[in-house]
Each structure stands twice: as C-alpha cells, then as structure tokens.
Amino acid sequence: MDNNISLLAFLQGKSSSSIELFNHFVSCYQQLGEVKFHATKTMIAFSSRINFAYVIQFSKNFIDVVFPFKQPYEDNMCFRKIKLVPGSDDYNHHLRIYYKEDINDEVLMYMSMAYKNGNVKLC
C-alpha cells in the first residue's frame, strides 16, 4: 500500500499522455508475469527478485525507460543510446516511448530479457 501512495505522489503533475504510456508499459510487463514496481525520488523501478527496468523520465509526450544488461545490444532499432555504467559490468540501454505502438515485437523481446534477468537468484 505504501508503494501505491508514493507512486501516486510520483505521478502527480505528470501529463495524462505520459501516464497513459506508463500504464501501457506496466500492462505489457504484467502479461509476462508478476511484476513489482515502486517509485523512488527520481524514477520508477520494476522488479521481480531484483530490479530489471527503470522509468527514468516522464515528459509531456514520452517516457524514458532503461534496461540494464550485461552486454551491449548494439544491433537494434529501438535503443537511442547504450552506456556502460561506471564501475560496473552493466550496460544501460535507453528507450524512449512516444506511442503505445513503440512497444513493438523488438521492444517486447528486450522487455522479456530484462524480466528474466530480474528473476535470477542472487545466492
């Protein structure tokens, strides 16, 4: 319940367009399996056993999503940038979603890969 309050507070003042995109993104993940998400001060983290995706920005007409992967997936049509996280072996893959249709088969494939990474056992 606490997460819902902070999520509602986080979404307060965001555009209806970006909230609609966020809800669609959540819905797509919920079709893959059980997904938890919670708001922090600056973003919304998605997790299963561990965090696997982040909505890092809400604009008037888009949301920015980051998927951390252990390798860069350079051969794609969806990521606008891929950056090595300093001091780690993670590569952040940045995706900007303007329309529901931007979550196409390619994006769904990467969402599924990230979700599987979120289900790994740490010990």
Side-chain angles (χ1 to χ4, degrees):
M1 191 70 155
D2 224 20
N3 283 346
N4 288 340
I5 294 169
S6 63
L7 182 63
L8 290 175
F10 186 91
L11 294 175
Q12 192 169 11
K14 306 294 191 250
S15 76
S16 60
S17 175
S18 64
I19 291 173
E20 189 175 325
L21 291 172
F22 172 75
N23 287 335
H24 181 66
F25 184 74
V26 168
S27 173
C28 289
Y29 257 127
Q30 288 173 333
Q31 291 176 34
L32 293 174
E34 187 177 334
V35 175
K36 299 174 219 136
F37 50 93
H38 64 278
T40 69
K41 189 180 271 189
T42 59
M43 68 183 82
I44 298 175
F46 286 72
S47 64
S48 188
R49 289 179 185 246
I50 60 172
N51 290 346
F52 60 81
Y54 305 86
V55 177
I56 61 168
Q57 183 179 0
F58 284 75
S59 180
K60 284 183 183 177
N61 62 344
F62 67 81
I63 59 173
D64 277 341
V65 177
V66 170
F67 300 111
F69 292 118
K70 295 295 182 194
Q71 68 185 65
Y73 293 100
E74 303 283 356
D75 188 20
N76 71 80
M77 299 294 290
C78 60
F79 297 121
R80 58 188 195 92
K81 71 180 173 182
I82 299 171
K83 293 251 184 202
L84 179 62
V85 177
S88 121
D89 61 349
D90 283 339
Y91 290 85
N92 279 347
H93 293 65
H94 295 259
L95 170 69
R96 182 163 284 174
I97 301 170
Y98 286 97
Y99 305 101
K100 290 179 181 180
E101 297 77 29
D102 289 344
I103 302 178
N104 58 24
D105 288 343
E106 180 185 35
V107 172
L108 288 169
M109 178 191 72
Y110 288 112
M111 287 175 68
S112 178
M113 288 169 54
Y115 179 74
K116 287 177 185 158
N117 290 344
N119 277 302
V120 299
K121 281 190 176 183
L122 296 177
C123 300

